[in-house]
């Protein structure tokens, strides 16, 4: 059987799915995606787990939103993975 190249997984791969499950507004999703892109551009390596980076970006953005997502909602979405 031939090897299948899956490529590296990054935090952006999880963002839309997580944000969708949380019912985040489009502007908040764009902001969270921007946070992830910026951390990858400046090579922040505080955590190598893409899910952790996605969760941190979502947490930061939802704290700043006018319509915050309850902690229970954030935790339930992230525990699925």
């Amino acid at each position: 059987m031939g090897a299948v190249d899956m490529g590296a997984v990054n935090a952006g791969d999880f963002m839309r799915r997580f944000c969708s499950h949380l019912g985040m507004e489009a502007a908040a999703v764009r902001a969270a995606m921007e946070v992830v892109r910026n951390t990858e551009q400046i090579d922040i390596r505080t955590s190598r787990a893409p899910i952790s980076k996605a969760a941190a970006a979502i947490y930061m953005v939802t704290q700043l939103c006018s319509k915050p997502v309850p902690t229970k909602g954030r935790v339930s979405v992230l525990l699925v993975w």
Side-chain angles (χ1 to χ4, degrees), residues 4-79:
V4 176
D5 182 19
M6 297 293 286
V9 176
N10 63 35
D13 296 336
F14 299 103
M15 294 299 292
R16 290 216 184 268
R17 186 176 307 142
F18 287 171
C19 293
S20 173
H21 284 293
L22 291 169
M24 291 172 62
E25 296 177 359
V29 174
R30 285 191 302 274
M33 295 289 283
E34 185 65 25
V35 168
V36 168
R37 274 192 296 275
N38 287 341
T39 59
E40 290 171 352
Q41 286 177 349
I42 60 176
D43 199 26
I44 294 177
R45 295 181 186 257
T46 56
S47 170
R48 295 180 185 209
I51 292 176
S52 296
K53 288 181 182 180
I58 290 170
Y59 177 78
M60 288 186 285
V61 169
T62 58
Q63 291 300 301
L64 297 172
C65 285
S66 59
K67 182 183 170 193
V69 176
T71 302
K72 184 177 179 182
R74 290 190 302 254
V75 171
S76 66
V77 166
L78 298 175
L79 286 178

